[in-house]
Amino acid sequence: AEQGTVNTANLDGYRSIADRGLLLNGAAGAINAAALSDAEGMPFSLVNEAGALDIVHLGNRNLVANSARVYGSSANNAAQPNWQTDPDQTGPQVTDLASSGYTLTASSRLGVIYQVSDFGGRFDTVVHFTDGSSATLTMRAPDWFGVQVVPAPVAGSGLDAQRALGVFLATDQADTAFAPATNLNVVEAVTSVQRLAADGFGDFTGKQIDRITFQNPVSNANYANSTPATGSGFAIIAATLRDITVAPPACPADIGVQGGVPGQDGVLDNNDFVIFIDYFFSQNPLADRGVQGGVPGSDGIWDNNDFIVFIDQFFAGCGS
């Protein structure tokens, strides 16, 4: 996603997955103009900070769109940025959730929002569980340009829905990322424990997620200088879980940063409060500590009760 400033000379700045990108300026019509949720009210949290990595990318910028976006090849195609050591990001790309304690219930749902450039395409989302089992879901999207028809889920795919999330403000000219452009669509795919069971993937009730892998991009484009994995650029913008429980860690108030990633660092300090507040306002399940049935845990509501429980856990120390 893009913050709305020219980045071509900034080696730490924005780069597009193809010839344009979403505009994150908070204005009406932008994807970050207000709290983002789908037709069922399932919320999505976006990375809004400038200079921060904000998507999972599948593809290769030097090969996308018939090699029309090679880094450093034109005024609009900026140099390869410092934060991308290899243009080949065709995958697998792994998001580690082992320390999060996300455990599925019989009513759990997972939503993923994404977009695909250059004629659209498909990719696989693999949900791995701590017991070694997994479920592989193929997600599809049309070209990201303007309003498009989103293909319905394939029968037996494990998906409840595959639909347009919306059409949002965009920028043009690849990495220049400032000139207004035709709006871009974002697609959502939704799965659930019930759908996975109905489609023969297995019963994942009570299983804890270990990691999510995005892999196997296949473009609908047919370019001579691109492969099926690189004809299009694939951007996974956000994912969210609904109706889950969070397995309590050994030290429930310890959510500090370790190795630059929020998680248990073995120290209870002010950093844990800062991260908890960030989690609370983004409705991250790790901040959902309200009382359900008289026991602190996930009650699906982010309110003052979560602060009270967190403070009690903090002052009780590890082992509480």
Side-chain angles (χ1 to χ4, degrees):
E2 162 55 18
Q3 308 302 327
T5 57
V6 176
N7 286 273
T8 50
N10 184 358
L11 291 179
D12 294 314
Y14 163 82
R15 298 294 183 268
S16 174
I17 65 169
D19 62 335
R20 60 193 74 234
L22 290 169
L23 175 64
L24 270 74
N25 65 353
I31 194 170
N32 68 336
L36 187 65
S37 62
D38 68 4
E40 302 169 18
M42 188 156 53
F44 290 93
S45 229
L46 302 177
V47 177
N48 285 299
E49 295 81 8
L53 299 178
D54 53 11
I55 64 169
V56 173
H57 172 231
L58 290 175
N60 187 323
R61 249 297 294 270
N62 284 343
L63 295 178
V64 69
N66 216 29
S67 300
R69 311 297 168 200
V70 177
Y71 281 133
S73 62
S74 72
N76 294 328
N77 295 333
Q80 184 173 321
N82 291 328
W83 47 263
Q84 190 179 62
T85 56
D86 186 352
D88 184 359
Q89 295 186 311
T90 49
Q93 304 291 336
V94 180
T95 299
D96 185 0
L97 297 171
S99 64
S100 300
Y102 298 154
T103 303
L104 301 185
T105 69
S107 57
S108 292
R109 298 173 72 78
L110 166 67
V112 179
I113 59 174
Y114 54 93
Q115 54 186 186
V116 184
S117 76
D118 295 82
F119 300 97
R122 68 181 189 272
F123 64 94
D124 290 339
T125 298
V126 187
V127 185
H128 306 264
F129 298 92
T130 55
D131 67 351
S133 61
S134 65
T136 300
L137 305 163
T138 299
M139 300 179 176
R140 293 172 167 81
D143 186 277
W144 62 351
F145 191 81
V147 177
Q148 302 281 346
V149 176
V150 177
V154 174
S157 65
L159 296 178
D160 286 295
Q162 193 167 254
R163 59 197 174 202
L165 181 75
V167 179
F168 303 97
L169 295 179
T171 58
D172 208 346
Q173 304 302 319
D175 302 325
T176 301
F178 190 70
T182 298
N183 295 347
L184 296 179
N185 66 74
V186 174
V187 174
E188 178 193 24
V190 179
T191 185
S192 65
V193 169
Q194 292 179 347
R195 174 54 57 191
L196 290 171
D199 285 356
F201 287 77
D203 184 1
F204 296 97
T205 304
K207 294 194 177 187
Q208 182 177 326
I209 296 177
D210 181 69
R211 64 194 186 279
I212 296 179
T213 301
F214 302 101
Q215 61 186 33
N216 299 335
V218 178
S219 174
N220 292 336
N222 185 21
Y223 291 130
N225 293 334
S226 303
T227 70
T230 62
S232 302
F234 297 74
I236 294 91
I237 299 167
T240 195
L241 287 160
R242 178 175 178 173
D243 299 326
I244 63 169
T245 61
V246 180
C251 190
D254 178 16
I255 53 176
V257 171
Q258 184 177 40
V261 180
Q264 289 195 297
D265 62 0
V267 179
L268 288 178
D269 57 19
N270 290 341
N271 194 43
D272 297 292
F273 275 95
V274 173
I275 293 175
F276 175 79
I277 291 170
D278 286 342
Y279 282 164
F280 181 87
F281 285 107
S282 64
Q283 295 192 338
N284 187 306
L286 284 175
D288 181 12
R289 299 181 180 226
V291 174
Q292 186 174 41
V295 180
S298 174
D299 64 357
I301 301 171
W302 287 263
D303 58 17
N304 290 340
N305 196 43
D306 298 293
F307 280 89
I308 294 170
V309 173
F310 179 78
I311 291 169
D312 286 345
Q313 291 172 337
F314 183 88
F315 286 107
C318 293
S320 61

